[in-house]
Amino acid sequence: MKELAGRLTALDPDAGAAVRVIAYFDRLSESRAGLEALVRGAAVLAGVPARLDDAERRVRVRVEADGTRRDSGAPPDPGWPSAALAPGGAAALWLERAAAPSVVDAVILERAAGAVRLVLDRTRGRAPVDDPALVETVLDAGAPEAARVHAARGLGLDPGGTARALAPLDGRPLVMTGRADAETLTGRTGTGRVGVGSEVPVLDLPRSWAQARTALRFTAEGTAQDPGPRVVHADELGGVALLADLVAPGAEAPPDVRALEAAGASTPWLLATLDAVAATASLRAAAAEINVHHSTLQDRLSHAEHLLGWPLRTPQGRLRLQLALTMRHLTRS
């Protein structure tokens, strides 16, 4: 590549520089460089500041021409040379140059954007693939393997790679690669509750889909009357997932769940308080979580123990509470 760049430079300086740019970003990609290194490479090669601003993933990186990172809250100038991270997408990578982009600028943007997209797909999750018919096929355990391979390719998935299934509440099933945080997942799926299956080989996605549907049963609205996580990953449930086989949706609630429902109906703050106690490492942490004084939490727990009929400040009582809250999600799903 270096020899080719030298020969091209003698014939056409821009062509030679473009080849060097390609080789540079190929080396960064091969070394699995991070986002800042990629933006820095674009800035140094272009000789002007470069910035990455991906609103969807909430990623912002700006690097000066000398390689110093210096982020800015000011919006990019629409007149700057820019590139999208995916065909047809919004501009997300800019070179802060007032003049029209050169041939080399265009190559820098194209190669840097491609490398950035790969990093984001790997580290922050690619947007869920959304073609209902193809997704249905790739998640169908009864579909022939050849049909699932064809569907995977149609979705842009590598049949030899890995992916995971998503089960949004009242939404279509989705498939995604990588891992995204809860806020990103709920934003992309357009629903407040999402079950997420394990990352599996693409041809094993029906198993991930079954896991995602189970995980969805453990989710909650995240409100005072339905506290709990809105996004649940199946691979974080562990043995708790076995409860889903024991508690059928719509079945008569166990006694502890009925006690929770009755107590919650008479005491508006009770369910959110108990969820904080069950989900945090200490009572002080629980008090901070719901923004009350430690002594106030102690008073609330005394009242809750009276209503429920069992202690909440012992290891056994806390475990009983955790199981009751979990079974409450499972019975109402």
Side-chain angles (χ1 to χ4, degrees), residues 82-104:
S82 63
L85 299 184
L93 184 67
W94 285 266
L95 298 178
E96 297 183 9
R97 192 190 302 282
S102 66
V103 172
V104 176

Side-chain angles (χ1 to χ4, degrees), residues 125-148:
R126 187 163 59 195
V129 181
D130 189 12
D131 181 317
L134 293 177
V135 171
E136 179 181 341
T137 301
V138 84
L139 298 180
D140 183 1
E145 182 175 308
R148 284 187 284 125

Side-chain angles (χ1 to χ4, degrees), residues 171-263:
R172 296 195 305 266
L174 297 169
V175 175
M176 73 174 292
T177 59
R179 185 179 181 90
D181 59 34
E183 185 174 355
T184 302
L185 284 171
T186 55
R188 289 180 179 175
T189 58
T191 181
R193 293 169 51 194
V194 185
V196 185
S198 298
E199 185 173 9
V200 298
V202 165
L203 292 182
D204 203 17
L205 275 170
R207 177 167 63 89
S208 183
W209 171 234
Q211 294 174 341
R213 286 180 293 168
T214 297
L216 177 63
R217 296 185 58 203
F218 289 86
T219 63
E221 295 294 338
T223 63
Q225 292 306 306
D226 190 19
R230 294 184 300 159
V231 176
V232 172
H233 289 260
D235 51 13
E236 295 176 357
L237 286 173
V240 175
L242 297 175
L243 286 175
D245 295 328
L246 302 177
V247 182
E252 182 180 0
D256 283 356
V257 175
R258 294 200 298 271
L260 276 176
E261 295 288 8

Side-chain angles (χ1 to χ4, degrees), residues 33-42 52 61-63 67-70:
L35 297 175
E36 186 173 333
L38 293 169
V39 178
R40 178 176 291 109
L52 168 66
V61 179
R62 180 181 179 277
V63 179
T68 303
R69 178 164 178 172
R70 187 171 291 115

Side-chain angles (χ1 to χ4, degrees), residues 251-326:
E252 182 180 0
D256 283 356
V257 175
R258 294 200 298 271
L260 276 176
E261 295 288 8
S266 66
T267 312
W269 49 257
L270 184 132
L271 292 173
T273 298
L274 295 183
D275 180 74
V277 169
T280 54
S282 68
L283 293 184
R284 290 197 178 277
E289 177 73 18
I290 57 176
N291 197 29
V292 299
H293 192 273
H294 183 258
S295 61
T296 301
L297 177 61
Q298 293 286 359
D299 292 340
R300 287 188 176 188
L301 288 180
S302 296
H303 184 64
E305 288 171 338
H306 173 72
L307 293 175
L308 295 175
W310 78 80
L312 298 171
R313 285 167 278 199
T314 65
Q316 296 83 359
R318 180 176 166 133
L319 175 60
R320 185 173 176 180
L321 172 63
Q322 290 169 332
L323 289 173
L325 289 168
T326 299

